[in-house]
Amino acid sequence: MTTSAHPSPGAGDSVTERLVEANARYAAGFTDPGTDARPVLRVAVVACMDARLDLHAALGLELGDCHTIRNAGGVVTDDVIRSLTISQRALGTRAVMLVHHTGCGLESLTEDFRHELEDEVGQRPAWAVEAFRDVDQDVRQSMQRVRTSPFLPHTDDVRGFVFDVTTGLLREIHPVENGSGSGTSTSSAVA
């Protein structure tokens, strides 16, 4: 896969400079689509920042269709709740789609990462790493955080998925219902 920001042979420019140049080429042919900040599909997608996830292509989205909120792991943190609250209360979204993925870098980290940072820089980060071992369970936890937030008025349409980085397919993760006691996986493939 290539992008317009990939270096030309012999280019010694910084990556940022290449991106700025790519933007100039983009802007030369840009036409204002006439949309506003309210997403047409009234959905917010929370996803991992992983460079292998091309969310718009994978989900068939166009410019203006959704709000996209990304961070390491696609974890629902206080800042994600902040963004979702603004998205719902000020900009009209009603659905939330959570997209984690296979082979996430957070699966190889632990909270020891914070201790290592503290040892290196002399200050402990205020944020949690939010590392996990079971991606399905982390999606369930993220769904639960969205569904129980007192700031979000629209929590009826919250769905979670795992994107397979080798096949491009989504697999839906269903929440464990209270009292089910089965402990079995409740995920299904989405074709």
Side-chain angles (χ1 to χ4, degrees):
M1 177 192 318
T2 62
T3 67
S4 59
H6 277 216
S8 56
D13 298 328
S14 73
V15 171
T16 303
E17 189 58 37
R18 290 195 306 262
L19 296 176
V20 170
E21 290 169 3
N23 173 256
R25 291 188 299 275
Y26 169 79
F30 183 77
T31 304
D32 180 358
T35 60
D36 66 16
R38 293 176 178 273
V40 173
L41 298 179
R42 297 171 54 148
V43 64
V45 179
V46 179
C48 185
M49 66 185 191
D50 193 292
R52 297 172 290 180
L53 275 67
D54 183 350
L55 286 175
H56 277 73
L59 302 177
L61 296 167
E62 299 291 332
L63 184 66
D65 281 350
C66 73
H67 283 160
T68 305
I69 304 161
R70 296 181 79 157
N71 66 21
V75 177
V76 175
T77 61
D78 286 345
D79 192 59
V80 168
I81 293 294
R82 170 190 159 272
S83 294
L84 288 172
T85 301
I86 293 167
S87 178
Q88 288 190 358
R89 291 182 177 266
L91 298 168
T93 60
R94 296 295 179 261
V96 178
M97 182 178 191
L98 305 169
V99 181
H100 287 41
H101 65 93
T102 58
C104 185
L106 284 186
E107 292 176 288
S108 62
L109 290 177
T110 67
E111 290 299 319
D112 287 340
F113 183 74
R114 293 174 70 221
H115 301 293
E116 294 163 8
L117 284 173
E118 182 179 19
D119 290 345
E120 181 182 329
V121 303
Q123 181 178 341
R124 177 178 251 176
W127 39 264
V129 175
E130 297 276 359
F132 56 87
R133 295 284 177 252
D134 181 338
V135 67
D136 291 19
Q137 184 55 35
D138 200 60
V139 171
R140 287 187 190 96
Q141 175 178 286
S142 291
M143 285 190 287
Q144 185 65 15
R145 286 178 177 176
V146 171
R147 288 185 170 138
T148 59
S149 172
F151 306 110
L152 299 174
H154 306 288
T155 58
D156 293 339
D157 190 3
V158 177
R159 294 174 64 188
F161 300 85
V162 174
F163 177 84
D164 188 315
V165 298
T166 61
T167 67
L169 289 174
L170 290 174
R171 179 173 50 85
E172 184 160 12
I173 306 298
H174 299 285
V176 175
E177 299 300 327
N178 291 339
S180 71
S182 68
T184 60
S185 176
T186 56
S187 60
S188 60
V190 177

